[in-house]
Amino acid sequence: MDLRKKCLSVERVFEELDRLICAYKNKNKIDCLPECKGECCKKEDLYTTVLEFLPLAFFLHSEGISEKIFAESELNRDSTCVLYSEETGKCLFYRHRGLICRLFGFSSIKDKNNRLQMVTCRWIKSAYKDSVVLNPSNIIMLDYQRRLSLIDTTYGTKLTHVNKSIKTAIELVGMYLKYNRI
Ligand code: SF4
């Protein structure tokens, strides 16, 4: 499948997921807390696929800022995601964030007894204890990871640190645009 078509397929999965997450958040009056100051964007084990950053990479190329973000991701000072802004405490490209950025906080895994366990942070667990324990999200993390892996069995499965994934996605889209101009 053509890389742009793969990007559109990823965006379709994201749109569906965002609708479900929004509904869960509204129903349970639960959301991220500003006090966390991007803790999940600074995790050392923030591993992602390249595929989930294709929409971001196409956007960065279309805006002419791919080289800037690529250079910043190469510096790789620490584990903080290159898209996180300390200044605003937010993701610089929230609309184009990855799959894990959408799932973390508001999705679940199933334990060995088939019970839902929310995959979320200490802030949400503490502020919304009742929702997390009594009404966990029925958005299953693995289902969405599988759906992306079916779009591309290589770039949708191999996990690398978020900054490396972003860098590879920018490179991949750069090559695609260079050799597939219409
Ligand atoms: S892409 Fe955005 S939301 Fe995801 S880890 Fe990076 S800064 Fe955080």
Side-chain angles (χ1 to χ4, degrees):
M1 198 200 293
D2 173 84
L3 201 65
R4 204 180 280 279
K5 285 189 184 150
K6 286 182 186 181
C7 178
L8 289 173
S9 300
V10 172
E11 285 175 334
R12 275 196 289 274
V13 174
F14 283 177
E15 277 163 21
E16 178 198 303
L17 177 59
D18 288 351
R19 272 198 302 278
L20 294 173
I21 288 179
C22 187
Y24 177 76
K25 283 178 167 181
N26 288 340
K27 190 174 167 213
N28 293 284
K29 309 222 175 331
I30 180 171
D31 211 340
C32 289
L33 296 142
E35 303 92 288
C36 90
K37 300 204 186 326
E39 216 168 78
C40 54
C41 307
K42 297 176 182 172
K43 283 163 77 79
E44 273 181 27
D45 60 347
L46 184 47
Y47 289 100
T48 70
T49 63
V50 170
L51 194 76
E52 63 198 89
F53 285 105
L54 279 191
L56 170 83
F58 271 104
F59 174 77
L60 296 178
H61 277 281
S62 74
E63 294 292 302
I65 46 176
S66 57
E67 283 180 20
K68 181 176 178 284
I69 302 295
F70 184 90
E72 282 172 18
S73 69
E74 280 218 300
L75 289 175
N76 209 11
R77 290 168 298 261
D78 55 28
S79 59
T80 302
C81 175
V82 69
L83 304 186
Y84 180 73
S85 163
E86 287 289 354
E87 215 173 293
T88 63
K90 289 181 181 159
C91 175
L92 289 173
F93 300 98
Y94 190 74
R95 199 173 145 230
H96 300 291
R97 69 201 186 284
L99 178 70
I100 191 65
C101 320
R102 290 162 205 265
L103 286 170
F104 187 74
F106 308 103
S107 65
S108 297
I109 53 169
K110 283 185 180 167
D111 68 14
K112 60 179 188 324
N113 299 313
N114 219 26
R115 279 190 305 244
L116 294 172
Q117 299 283 346
M118 288 272 285
V119 181
T120 193
C121 67
R122 62 192 175 104
W123 300 92
I124 288 179
K125 272 184 197 154
S126 144
Y128 304 102
K129 212 172 176 180
D130 286 353
S131 297
V132 170
V133 175
L134 301 174
N135 192 19
S137 166
N138 60 8
I139 299 162
I140 309 298
M141 197 172 231
L142 199 56
D143 290 348
Y144 285 87
Q145 289 166 331
R146 277 206 189 110
R147 281 177 65 180
L148 285 209
S149 74
L150 292 174
I151 296 170
D152 188 301
T153 52
T154 304
Y155 291 114
T157 53
K158 194 175 168 223
L159 296 173
T160 49
H161 185 266
V162 65
N163 288 336
K164 189 159 186 236
S165 299
I166 290 171
K167 194 174 139 219
T168 307
I170 292 172
E171 266 176 330
L172 202 60
V173 171
M175 294 292 279
Y176 171 84
L177 294 172
K178 190 171 173 191
Y179 295 110
N180 293 277
R181 291 212 182 275
I182 300 166

